[in-house]
């Protein structure tokens, strides 16, 4: 009798494929101080302790962000903040300016929608309050006319206790990035004694507050800790961000009305926790809030000239039905009910993004004249189905791949048992991804096929680097997906200690048909460059997040070409 599979979340995904029965120099030293400023006795004068940021650029405007740490004489009242935007870093050629007030009501954060700007221009900005001045940030508006290329940095999964933000430090040094995309898990909600606790102690990066995040003040303090990090401040100051949340900005494996670990009896109603998390997100992130009366509505689009229409989706909160649990499909005798499992998994009623967001996406894609439709979203859209023999514990992934390789060169050398393994169908098993919402994925693919669009999907969530061809249920090629590794969050290496990571990656690509590339042991980010002819993805990794000194390099470059018959992954030609 085999153990019953229970596979929640991306950590479950990494465990299930572990091969058993289941599937430059940092810019500055980071600190682990979590002083919220106003919660630490307001010692010292007013200051801008959390840096500056910009985000959600359009062709004529951009969001400017900062936070004021109140001084000891503030008395808890409103604080006036002046802002300026200039065409030069010395802030001499000012083209826009204004004054706003902030208060404890919005946690002393400041957001300005600076309008009246020129398309495709670089600007610099700064805040002042009293005698205090912020650092100077650099931002860029979106192009309105055609441009030669668009270059994006793509991040995900930046868990503070697990390491230094060397990935952000490296990206801040790149001078030609048009915008950064953060695909979620910008913060993590765990208590300081939970996920990453031991690593956090070793690196003096212990999470604050110490308890699991539940209240608005909890989430605010966690953002304050992350935003006190010098490398995170540097990357925000270097380029505009376009961000969406994933689950850990709220709670692990969040869905519309709950999460994997939310206990109502202990934590209270989930809707209050979700509201607190969303409120803090909109306060602390440089996002243009689409609807202030509905903070969970964050899907929105950005047009980069005639090259890219970027659609930022919410696959996590607003429309998602609860994840299925594979463990629910085993009877008392540990027999797996495959028919019921597949029936529920492929049900047309199951929603990932919801009907309203799907209709919005359909209209955005239909109206777009850009060469590429790019989806910035949280979880893997590509099929990551595993052989059923592996999922149900009849063999390990290692044994399955060994049998498959042997069958390719010596069919007679394969045993009857191994032939049964190889004949087993594939089975969706990572149910927090689009694999758990099969019909909804087909509806999205149908939109792209109906409008005859070139599609590139960007994903995060799993902490590992992936590149896959996107195939619909009939096997037709729809587009490609590039998935970014984590900034610090650990990948699959923990389940394969002592094993060559290249062997682990090869095992994954051998076992999963649409998977073209995998890197499962390194932290990094993507640099995605789009032109009329192609979209190129450079997988850039740092060699460590355990110390501030690091090196960084592009270790793989893949691309996809435009046009029917070309929408698939291939190697980039040598330059």
């Amino acid at each position: 009798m085999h153990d019953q599979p229970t596979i929640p979340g991306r950590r479950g995904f990494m465990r299930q494929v572990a091969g058993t029965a289941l599937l430059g120099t940092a810019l500055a030293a980071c600190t682990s101080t979590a002083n919220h400023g106003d919660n630490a006795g307001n010692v010292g004068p007013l200051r801008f302790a959390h840096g500056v940021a910009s985000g959600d650029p359009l062709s004529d405007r951009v969001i400017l962000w900062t936070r004021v740490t109140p001084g000891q004489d503030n008395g808890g009242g409103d604080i006036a903040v002046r802002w300026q935007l200039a065409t030069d870093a010395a802030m001499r050629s000012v083209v826009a300016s204004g004054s706003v007030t902030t208060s404890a009501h919005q946690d002393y954060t400041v957001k300005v929608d600076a309008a009246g700007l020129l398309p495709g221009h670089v600007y610099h900005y700064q805040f002042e309050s009293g005698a205090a001045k912020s650092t100077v940030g650099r931002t860029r508006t979106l192009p309105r006319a055609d441009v030669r290329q668009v270059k994006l940095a793509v991040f995900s999964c930046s868990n503070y206790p697990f390491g230094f933000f060397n990935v952000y430090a490296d990206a801040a040094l790149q001078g030609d990035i048009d915008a950064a995309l953060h695909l979620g898990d910008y913060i993590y909600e765990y208590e300081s004694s939970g996920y990453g606790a031991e690593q956090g102690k070793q690196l003096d990066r212990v999470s604050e507050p110490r308890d699991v995040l539940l209240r608005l003040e909890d989430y605010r303090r966690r953002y304050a800790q992350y935003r006190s990090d010098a490398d995170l401040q540097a990357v925000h100051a270097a380029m505009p961000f376009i961000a969406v949340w994933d689950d850990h900005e709220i709670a692990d494996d969040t869905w519309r009305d709950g999460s994997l670990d939310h206990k109502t009896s202990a934590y209270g109603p989930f809707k209050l926790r979700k509201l607190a998390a969303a409120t803090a997100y909109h306060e602390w992130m440089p996002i243009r809030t689409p609807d202030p009366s509905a903070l969970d509505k964050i899907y929105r689009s950005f047009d980069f000239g005639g090259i890219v229409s970027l659609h930022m989706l919410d696959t996590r909160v607003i429309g998602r039905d609860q994840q299925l649990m594979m463990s629910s499909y085993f009877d008392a005798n540990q027999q797996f009910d495959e028919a019921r499992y597949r029936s529920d998994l492929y049900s047309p009623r199951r929603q990932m993004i919801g009907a309203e967001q799907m209709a919005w996406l359909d209209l955005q894609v239909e109206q777009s004249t850009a060469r590429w439709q790019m989806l910035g979203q949280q979880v893997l859209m590509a099929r990551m189905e595993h052989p059923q023999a592996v999922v149900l514990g009849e063999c390990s992934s290692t044994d399955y791949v060994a049998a498959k390789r042997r069958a390719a060169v010596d069919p007679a050398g394969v045993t009857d048992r191994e032939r049964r393994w190889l004949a087993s169908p594939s089975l969706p098993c990572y149910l927090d991804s689009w694999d758990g919402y099969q019909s909804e994925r087909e509806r999205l693919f149908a939109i792209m096929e109906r409008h005859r669009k070139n599609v590139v999907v960007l994903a995060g969530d799993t902490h590992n680097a992936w590149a896959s061809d996107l195939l619909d249920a009939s096997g037709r090629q729809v587009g490609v997906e590039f998935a970014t590794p984590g900034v610090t969050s650990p990948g699959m290496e923990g389940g394969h200690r002592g094993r060559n990571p290249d062997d682990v990656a090869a095992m994954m690509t051998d076992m999963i048909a649409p998977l073209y590339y995998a890197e499962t042991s390194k932290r990094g980010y993507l640099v995605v460059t789009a032109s009329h002819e192609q979209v190129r993805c450079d997988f850039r990794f740092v060699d460590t997040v355990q110390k501030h000194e690091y090196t960084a390099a592009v270790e793989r470059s893949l691309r996809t070409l435009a046009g029917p018959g070309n929408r698939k992954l291939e190697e980039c030609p040598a330059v």
Side-chain angles (χ1 to χ4, degrees), residues 185 244-251 253-259 270-271 273-275 277-278 281-282 294-299 313-323 351-354 357 378-379 432 437:
D185 294 346
V244 288
W245 52 45
D246 196 12
D247 53 340
H248 289 293
E249 284 90 346
I250 305 170
D253 279 6
T254 290
W255 57 285
R256 186 176 56 247
D257 297 320
S259 81
F270 181 75
K271 65 180 181 180
R273 185 181 186 185
K274 183 170 73 170
L275 177 60
Y281 187 87
H282 283 274
L295 294 182
D296 58 350
K297 185 177 181 179
I298 62 169
Y299 53 86
L313 305 183
D314 175 13
T315 65
R316 178 55 65 184
V317 175
I318 199 166
R320 180 192 278 257
D321 290 328
Q322 186 172 10
Q323 298 90 334
Q351 296 186 70
M352 170 69 99
I353 65 174
Q357 186 175 182
Q378 297 86 338
V379 297
D432 188 56
Y437 301 82

Side-chain angles (χ1 to χ4, degrees), residues 191-209:
E191 65 274 25
S192 62
S193 60
Y195 185 46
E198 290 305 312
Q199 198 67 39
K201 290 178 183 177
Q202 294 173 19
L203 298 177
D204 193 22
R205 291 172 72 86
V206 176
S207 293
E208 292 289 346

Side-chain angles (χ1 to χ4, degrees), residues 42 55 86 113 290 338 415 487 531:
N42 296 347
D113 200 348
E338 181 183 349
T415 67
V487 171
S531 65

Side-chain angles (χ1 to χ4, degrees), residues 157-349:
C157 304
S158 40
N159 193 324
Y160 188 88
F162 269 109
F164 299 113
F165 288 158
N166 294 340
V167 165
Y168 290 146
D170 185 69
L173 297 174
Q174 312 305 312
D176 59 348
I177 302 295
D178 294 305
L181 310 187
H182 203 294
L183 303 181
D185 294 346
Y186 183 95
I187 66 166
Y188 281 71
E189 85 289 4
Y190 295 112
E191 65 274 25
S192 62
S193 60
Y195 185 46
E198 290 305 312
Q199 198 67 39
K201 290 178 183 177
Q202 294 173 19
L203 298 177
D204 193 22
R205 291 172 72 86
V206 176
S207 293
E208 292 289 346
R210 298 303 176 100
D211 295 330
V212 66
L213 307 187
L214 299 172
R215 305 169 299 138
L216 176 57
E217 178 60 19
D218 299 336
Y219 288 98
R220 284 172 168 174
R221 288 185 64 191
R222 188 63 58 85
Y223 278 104
Q225 180 182 39
Y226 277 60
R227 295 295 284 271
S228 70
D229 185 285
D231 294 326
L232 182 49
Q233 289 187 19
V235 74
H236 271 299
M239 62 193 72
F241 265 57
I242 300 173
V244 288
W245 52 45
D246 196 12
D247 53 340
H248 289 293
E249 284 90 346
I250 305 170
D252 189 26
D253 279 6
T254 290
W255 57 285
R256 186 176 56 247
D257 297 320
S259 81
L260 177 68
D261 61 359
H262 184 84
K263 307 174 183 66
T264 301
S265 59
Y267 297 159
F270 181 75
K271 65 180 181 180
L272 296 182
R273 185 181 186 185
K274 183 170 73 170
L275 177 60
T279 300
Y281 187 87
H282 283 274
E283 289 174 345
W284 280 84
M285 297 297 289
I287 180 176
R288 180 179 290 104
T289 304
D291 185 351
S293 66
L295 294 182
D296 58 350
K297 185 177 181 179
I298 62 169
Y299 53 86
R300 57 213 195 277
S301 288
F302 302 87
D303 288 318
F304 293 78
I307 293 185
V308 170
S309 282
L310 170 66
H311 311 295
M312 300 296 282
L313 305 183
D314 175 13
T315 65
R316 178 55 65 184
V317 175
I318 199 166
R320 180 192 278 257
D321 290 328
Q322 186 172 10
Q323 298 90 334
L324 298 178
M325 296 293 290
M326 186 175 284
S327 58
S328 303
Y329 296 86
F330 287 82
D331 62 21
N333 296 318
Q334 297 297 293
Q335 296 300 306
F336 181 62
D337 190 341
E338 181 183 349
R340 183 168 66 90
Y341 179 70
R342 290 188 182 273
S343 175
D344 290 349
L345 197 61
Y346 290 85
S347 168
R349 294 187 298 273

Side-chain angles (χ1 to χ4, degrees), residues 521-575:
S521 66
K522 295 180 180 180
R523 311 290 78 82
Y525 64 108
L526 308 180
V527 178
V528 177
T529 306
S531 65
H532 279 286
E533 295 75 27
Q534 66 177 17
V535 172
R536 172 188 176 117
C537 181
D538 295 315
F539 291 85
R540 188 170 177 87
F541 300 99
V542 296
D543 66 334
T544 183
V545 295
Q546 302 307 305
K547 56 184 180 179
H548 288 298
E549 296 73 27
Y550 72 91
T551 60
V554 172
E555 296 191 10
R556 191 70 177 269
S557 297
L558 302 173
R559 72 172 185 176
T560 182
L561 302 178
N566 289 330
R567 298 163 183 159
K568 58 186 177 181
L569 291 169
E570 65 178 39
E571 300 294 329
C572 285
V575 178

Side-chain angles (χ1 to χ4, degrees), residues 69 78 93-94 118 124 130 161 175 271 275 339 390 415 430 476 491 514 524 567:
T69 300
D78 291 355
S93 301
V94 174
L118 295 175
H124 302 267
K271 65 180 181 180
L275 177 60
V390 174
T415 67
Y430 181 31
R476 287 194 298 265
R567 298 163 183 159

